[in-house]
Amino acid sequence: MELAVIKGVRQNLGGPRVTDEVPSTVEMLVPVVVVQVAGGADNHISDTVTVDVAAFAADRAAMWQLAEHARAAVHALAATVAGGVVVDTVDTVQRPVEVPYGNPGVRRAIATYTLTTRARAEV
């Protein structure tokens, strides 16, 4: 699921690096968006996936702009197929909020979303 969300966000966001881990040299690579599955559940038909999306940038203004673009990219996955997975709905659990990062040259905002998904039937 994580890879499907990364592919969809990467396509919708365009430009910034989108990955599943914080690069060790993130300060040299910003802007960077990190997508990580944080939990979820299923009912044998649909999966409900909780996803954290972190936006890394060089300053606060760029961080907020990237976080909002990432939020729009995640919400654009609703009613689409991303990475072979049908995404029915996307809901914001926690809007982007700044979370201190251990490097003064990097600003980070993290948001949490819930996606309801189904496997795509192969025909």
Side-chain angles (χ1 to χ4, degrees):
M1 173 50 56
E2 194 171 80
L3 183 57
V5 176
I6 288 170
K7 287 180 178 180
V9 168
R10 186 178 291 139
Q11 180 179 346
N12 292 338
L13 194 56
R17 178 186 299 246
V18 181
T19 184
D20 61 350
E21 291 188 45
V22 179
S24 60
T25 57
V26 67
E27 69 279 358
M28 296 169 37
L29 300 171
V30 292
V32 174
V33 173
V34 177
V35 175
Q36 295 180 323
V37 170
D42 71 80
N43 64 8
H44 303 288
I45 297 169
S46 297
D47 280 337
T48 302
V49 182
T50 303
V51 178
D52 287 335
V53 177
F56 292 84
D59 59 50
R60 281 179 60 87
M63 175 199 70
W64 289 124
Q65 183 177 35
L66 181 59
E68 288 303 322
H69 286 134
R71 177 161 45 170
V74 173
H75 278 282
L77 297 175
T80 69
V81 176
V85 175
V86 177
V87 180
D88 292 320
T89 63
V90 176
D91 295 298
T92 301
V93 175
Q94 173 65 53
R95 68 174 308 283
V97 61
E98 184 173 14
V99 177
Y101 191 69
N103 181 331
V106 178
R107 298 295 185 131
R108 171 179 62 175
I110 300 177
T112 303
Y113 306 93
T114 300
L115 288 73
T116 303
T117 66
R118 293 174 282 130
R120 184 176 182 181
E122 298 298 322
V123 287

